Amino acid sequence: MTINPTDRDRQVWQEEFEDFVPERVFDAHIHLYNRSCLLPGTRFPATSVWQRFGGTFTKQQLLEWTAAWLPGRELSVNQFGYPFFDSDRDASGVYAGDVADNRRFFGMALVAPRDSVESVRQRVVSNRLIGYKPYLEFVEGRPKAEITIHDMLPAEQMELADELGLAIMLHIPRPGRLADPVNQMQMVELCQRYPNTRIIFAHIGRAYYLSSVTGFLDGIAACPNAYIDTAMVNHEGVLEYTFRTFPRDRMLFGSDAPIACLRGKSVEVNDQYVYLMGEDYAIGNAMYAPENAVAFTSFTYEQLRGIRLAAQRAGLSRAEIADFFFGNAERLFSAVAQRNYGGSA
């Protein structure tokens, strides 16, 4: 099942992106999974975003969507599973490994704090994966608002990542997100304590409105193993600030598909953000407009719009734009794969 572009969507591509998006795109943040990756009996509610493609989002579904929405572009991918408690982490690792060739498609394991370091090593190495993705939903026994980065990533798991020189895709916790002082301290601690890891702070540290990023990138910007991806960030002010203050060679394009495949846009409201939705699916702070008074394009296109405006305002060169969309991620993930597996399946 695809979400087909309309004539208006195709016009947007031709007028705004055809001459901007490079021929090669590396999406560093994609969720791929099939039914084998879910625990038996898993059922998604009708309005779950994970239901939008029929309860799966496979490599084939991704490629069909990409052919329609990013026409003529060669796609490379870093992918991992459905990161919630009803996923089968071992099966998700197997599926990520089946998809990965460590040339154009790279994969990460899902890990929970209770996973032994031996099981994590097995999950990564046996499937030839280049790292892992923790998630706050996997932390047990603490109120969600009190979860810390160290709760999500036990020292033993980080020591393994450091030993193997892996990449970590980190969706930081806590209501304050990037601006939270505990996060600020632990983000830098993690980078400094484990210098052989590449730590990717997803969604620019979940900074979707300007005051949540301004003044809060300096700590990780000074850490040479810290990266950020821009998944689901379409705020041109946030993106411009990041282009101006964070090392551009450590910024990665990411979409957060399949969520990014939906129709909608994230907007800033009074130092908050909300997802305005053109489809009745539940993602975070979502507001759905059933009267269809507004014709939405996809979150992916809104992200590309924000990136294009921010890149223009921050004065990125064509070479820097090409690196942001492809080169930075390709060098990062290929280096990890080369170190551990010789670089190919």
Side-chain angles (χ1 to χ4, degrees):
M1 181 189 301
T2 61
I3 303 174
N4 294 319
T6 63
D7 289 343
R8 174 57 180 146
D9 295 322
R10 285 185 279 269
Q11 180 183 1
V12 169
W13 173 264
Q14 286 295 325
E15 293 180 356
E16 300 184 38
F17 307 136
E18 177 63 47
D19 293 334
F20 173 69
V21 177
E23 293 182 0
R24 295 189 297 176
V25 174
F26 197 127
D27 192 327
H29 192 130
I30 284 183
H31 299 274
L32 294 185
Y33 64 100
N34 63 13
R35 294 303 300 184
S36 75
C37 300
L38 306 175
L39 294 175
T42 297
R43 296 289 184 271
F44 296 115
T47 59
S48 168
V49 62
W50 306 100
Q51 185 72 278
R52 183 59 180 90
F53 287 85
T56 64
F57 195 62
T58 64
K59 177 182 178 181
Q60 184 59 37
Q61 288 173 302
L62 168 68
L63 292 177
E64 289 174 1
W65 193 89
T66 300
W69 287 83
L70 302 177
R73 270 43 183 186
E74 179 182 286
L75 183 69
S76 295
V77 165
N78 175 53
Q79 43 87 27
F80 34 83
Y82 161 75
F84 291 99
F85 62 89
D86 43 2
S87 62
D88 183 321
R89 293 188 296 281
D90 284 327
S92 295
V94 171
Y95 182 75
D98 288 344
V99 170
D101 59 16
N102 287 329
R103 292 186 297 272
R104 283 183 56 196
F105 282 77
F106 299 80
M108 287 181 160
L110 300 176
V111 296
R114 65 176 178 272
D115 294 337
S116 69
V117 70
E118 294 80 11
S119 69
V120 172
R121 183 188 294 271
Q122 176 70 14
R123 195 176 299 157
V124 170
V125 175
S126 65
N127 295 303
R128 302 171 66 85
L129 304 178
I130 50 83
Y132 33 90
K133 187 181 196 302
Y135 202 63
L136 63 156
E137 295 287 347
F138 294 143
V139 177
E140 298 173 300
R142 293 201 68 171
K144 189 172 181 180
E146 297 177 11
I147 292 170
T148 70
I149 291 170
H150 293 334
D151 292 330
M152 296 169 64
L153 283 165
E156 294 82 2
Q157 292 181 6
M158 284 307 305
E159 288 163 4
L160 173 63
D162 204 53
E163 172 195 334
L164 299 178
L166 300 178
I168 303 293
M169 177 66 70
L170 182 55
H171 178 113
I172 63 173
R174 304 178 69 79
R177 306 178 181 209
L178 187 64
D180 183 278
V182 173
N183 279 343
Q184 282 281 303
M185 177 181 65
Q186 292 189 358
M187 289 163 71
V188 173
E189 283 180 356
L190 207 67
C191 293
Q192 293 179 342
R193 191 174 299 166
Y194 306 104
N196 292 324
T197 59
R198 281 80 159 179
I199 301 170
I200 306 160
F201 296 99
H203 318 290
I204 317 182
R206 301 171 69 209
Y208 302 116
Y209 52 95
L210 192 56
S211 66
S212 67
V213 71
T214 304
F216 300 116
L217 287 174
D218 295 350
I220 57 172
C223 299
N225 58 334
Y227 293 75
I228 59 96
D229 80 30
T230 61
M232 282 299 284
V233 179
N234 63 227
H235 191 303
E236 61 268 23
V238 170
L239 290 159
E240 179 185 356
Y241 180 84
T242 306
F243 278 133
R244 290 186 182 277
T245 59
F246 196 84
R248 293 175 183 175
D249 61 348
R250 291 191 267 129
M251 290 183 64
L252 314 177
F253 170 72
S255 71
D256 208 5
I259 297 172
C261 300
L262 274 69
R263 294 187 180 277
K265 178 180 174 62
S266 173
V267 298
E268 177 173 341
V269 180
N270 194 29
D271 288 338
Q272 304 158 93
Y273 75 99
V274 63
Y275 295 118
L276 301 184
M277 300 294 296
E279 303 178 69
D280 190 14
Y281 288 94
I283 57 167
N285 302 323
M287 297 178 64
Y288 172 51
E291 296 84 5
N292 296 316
V294 176
F296 288 90
T297 190
S298 67
F299 279 106
T300 297
Y301 277 12
E302 294 295 355
Q303 291 176 59
L304 292 178
R305 277 178 162 153
I307 291 164
R308 180 171 173 262
L309 285 172
Q312 291 173 344
R313 293 172 182 175
L316 269 67
S317 67
R318 290 299 299 177
E320 288 174 324
I321 291 169
D323 275 344
F324 167 74
F325 275 106
F326 181 81
N328 295 342
E330 199 278 334
R331 286 188 288 272
L332 167 61
F333 296 120
S334 292
V336 177
Q338 181 67 40
R339 170 176 173 152
N340 286 283
Y341 315 115
S344 63

